[in-house]
Amino acid sequence: PTDFSNVSSPSMMKATNLLDLAASCEQKVILKHLVSHGLTSHREEMENFLMTTEFSYPGEIFEEVVKEDSKVAKNLLNYCVDTVSENTEDTFIKIDLQKFSNPNAIEALLSDGHRELFFHPVVEAQTCLKWQNTRTIFLSFLTWNILFTILLSLLVILDHSHHQAIKTVLDNFYPSIVIMLVLSIMFYVPIIIIEITSVFTTNRKLLSKPKILLQSLHLLLFLSMTLTRPYSGHIIYSPAVVRLHSHLSAWTLLMAWTKIFIIIQDIPAITVYVQIFLNVFCDILKFLLVMISLLIGFCLSFHIILPYNTEDNQRFKSPTNSFFKMISMMKGEISFDTTFTESLIEVEGTTQLIFLLFFLTINIVMINILIGLTITTIQDTR
């Protein structure tokens, strides 16, 4: 049974056909059934009807068409573009944006997987206008996040006070730490509220799981960092807690600035550059995962044959240090005179041969593949 009790006289008068009537009554199930039945049983007649009829609720109807058939939706978008000639010289392009009178229409394009329609000129025009209307709000949110991140950075810098000038400030005015903490919390609370609200108001299919994970991780790190530091000279934590606080502070700061990087991605003029970075990063990471066995082999080999090299601070004595030393060697920091000179090595022959294999395999072949992979990914992204 259908409840038409919420239908007012003006909405009934605006409804000139069954689709408009269902939309005016907010009967989405009936509207979906009508569109589905029309496109399934009488596709050509229904498509022609959708193109030639002037609907009172075009946004709601187009949303259901997008969900039902992306090809028909594309044809409707093509029909929205026309050329108008006012005289023999001037020709204008006319774009009808009535299909997006319902704000959920664009959301349907993405949530139902029709991302190819998102690059249609009509959709791009609507998106551009939408951005112009919401740009001030977004930039205000971005500015607020930047101010919070700067305050958090100052808090962490004052907290650890590695510089002598900072130590002097803290000795003369110890409550500065508490003041920076209070300011940081005051700026962070509105951000948390907005982030939580967006999770519950955004379509589940459009939620970015990495972004939500980053926001949740940053909140957890911020709380942990705040709770592992004493805010009075009479309270002293154990050395283990102090070290944990240093770890948490470093990760909290990194996550905060990473959030700024992710937010900037939503600016249309900058999106392509952030996307290029993310695509290149993912492709390189996949390639390095393929090469990880080779890298581990060279790392352990250097650890075995170069553990007693005192000229290079015994960099290869630990497998962990050997791995990071090998990473620096990949970018050209080989330090040949303090590492591979004949007078410094004990396992002659094998050392030179493994070094030669490393130089040919990693420094030449692998690095050039990474450069080529980066160029290819940038071209594909653009």
Side-chain angles (χ1 to χ4, degrees):
T2 303
D3 180 18
F4 291 98
S5 60
N6 62 337
V7 181
S8 58
S9 297
S11 62
M12 286 289 291
M13 294 179 65
K14 290 177 63 177
T16 58
N17 52 73
L18 289 177
L19 297 181
D20 273 334
L21 180 60
S24 65
C25 299
E26 299 182 359
Q27 299 295 329
K28 293 187 176 181
V29 177
I30 296 178
L31 179 60
K32 179 180 180 180
H33 177 74
L34 292 173
V35 173
S36 176
H37 177 74
L39 292 176
T40 303
S41 304
H42 311 281
R43 181 185 176 87
E44 293 184 2
E45 293 83 353
M46 184 63 176
E47 185 174 348
N48 184 64
F49 172 72
L50 292 172
M51 288 184 178
T52 57
T53 305
E54 185 175 348
F55 294 101
S56 301
Y57 298 88
E60 289 77 359
I61 297 171
F62 180 72
E63 179 185 355
E64 297 301 328
V65 173
V66 169
K67 296 178 181 179
E68 186 65 30
D69 195 320
S70 61
K71 292 184 178 180
V72 175
K74 184 177 181 180
N75 293 334
L76 292 178
L77 291 176
N78 293 336
Y79 192 76
C80 293
V81 182
D82 195 9
T83 56
V84 178
S85 299
E86 293 188 352
N87 50 54
T88 56
E89 296 181 357
D90 298 329
T91 301
F92 300 92
I93 296 177
K94 178 183 177 181
I95 299 179
D96 183 7
L97 298 178
Q98 291 185 5
K99 295 291 187 295
F100 300 101
S101 58
N102 181 11
N104 294 329
I106 290 183
E107 185 177 293
L109 292 175
L110 296 176
S111 61
D112 292 323
H114 306 306
R115 297 180 181 270
E116 68 280 358
L117 295 178
F118 202 76
F119 298 98
H120 194 280
V122 178
V123 181
E124 289 186 342
Q126 173 65 17
T127 306
C128 182
L129 293 176
K130 193 70 174 178
W131 164 250
Q132 291 179 0
N133 294 331
T134 59
R135 177 172 51 190
T136 303
I137 300 175
F138 175 82
L139 293 179
S140 300
F141 179 70
L142 174 61
T143 303
W144 191 270
N145 272 272
I146 293 175
L147 291 175
F148 161 71
T149 306
I150 292 175
L151 286 173
L152 179 63
S153 301
L154 292 175
L155 170 64
V156 174
I157 292 172
L158 289 174
D159 182 16
H160 293 276
S161 60
H162 294 301
H163 197 276
Q164 184 60 40
I166 299 177
K167 293 181 180 179
T168 303
V169 172
L170 291 178
D171 292 338
N172 297 329
F173 190 61
Y174 187 82
S176 59
I177 291 290
V178 178
I179 294 175
M180 295 304 300
L181 176 62
V182 173
L183 289 175
S184 298
I185 294 175
M186 290 175 58
F187 272 78
Y188 193 26
V189 169
I191 296 175
I192 296 175
I193 294 175
I194 293 174
E195 291 175 348
I196 294 176
T197 303
S198 64
V199 170
F200 290 100
T201 56
T202 305
N203 190 308
R204 297 294 179 184
K205 296 181 180 179
L206 300 181
L207 286 175
S208 174
K209 293 181 180 179
K211 183 181 291 186
I212 295 176
L213 178 62
L214 180 63
Q215 294 169 350
S216 304
L217 182 60
H218 179 260
L219 176 60
L220 178 62
L221 289 171
F222 180 82
L223 294 175
S224 302
M225 181 196 73
T226 305
L227 296 174
T228 53
R229 191 210 188 277
Y231 297 98
S232 173
H234 304 289
I235 301 176
I236 300 177
Y237 285 166
S238 65
V241 176
V242 173
R243 286 193 299 270
L244 176 62
H245 178 72
S246 298
H247 287 291
L248 294 172
S249 299
W251 283 109
T252 303
L253 212 53
L254 178 60
M255 292 296 105
W257 286 105
T258 303
K259 283 180 61 180
I260 300 297
F261 176 77
I262 297 301
I263 295 174
I264 290 176
Q265 180 187 6
D266 294 330
I267 301 177
I270 302 178
T271 299
V272 62
Y273 303 111
V274 178
Q275 196 60 47
I276 287 175
F277 170 82
L278 295 176
N279 290 346
V280 170
F281 176 79
C282 292
D283 288 343
I284 288 179
L285 187 62
K286 293 177 184 177
F287 177 73
L288 290 178
L289 289 176
V290 175
M291 300 292 294
I292 190 66
S293 60
L294 198 59
L295 296 176
I296 293 176
F298 279 113
C299 166
L300 296 180
S301 297
F302 287 138
H303 168 65
I304 297 300
I305 61 179
L306 296 170
Y308 307 110
N309 185 354
T310 57
E311 294 292 329
D312 202 18
N313 298 322
Q314 297 183 338
R315 297 286 174 83
F316 296 97
K317 191 171 185 178
S318 165
T320 303
N321 289 339
S322 178
F323 179 79
F324 288 107
K325 174 62 177 178
M326 184 195 64
I327 296 296
S328 67
M329 291 170 62
M330 288 174 57
K331 70 180 186 64
E333 189 183 334
I334 297 177
S335 303
F336 184 86
D337 293 336
T338 58
T339 305
F340 295 100
T341 304
E342 187 176 358
S343 58
L344 299 176
I345 59 178
E346 296 184 3
V347 187
E348 295 190 25
T350 298
T351 302
Q352 286 87 344
L353 183 59
I354 292 179
F355 170 75
L356 182 61
L357 290 173
F358 175 84
F359 183 77
L360 294 175
T361 307
I362 306 300
N363 288 87
I364 295 181
V365 177
M366 180 176 168
I367 297 301
N368 281 281
I369 290 176
L370 289 175
I371 295 173
L373 186 63
T374 301
I375 295 174
T376 302
T377 304
I378 292 175
Q379 291 175 346
D380 293 342
T381 303
R382 287 185 176 274

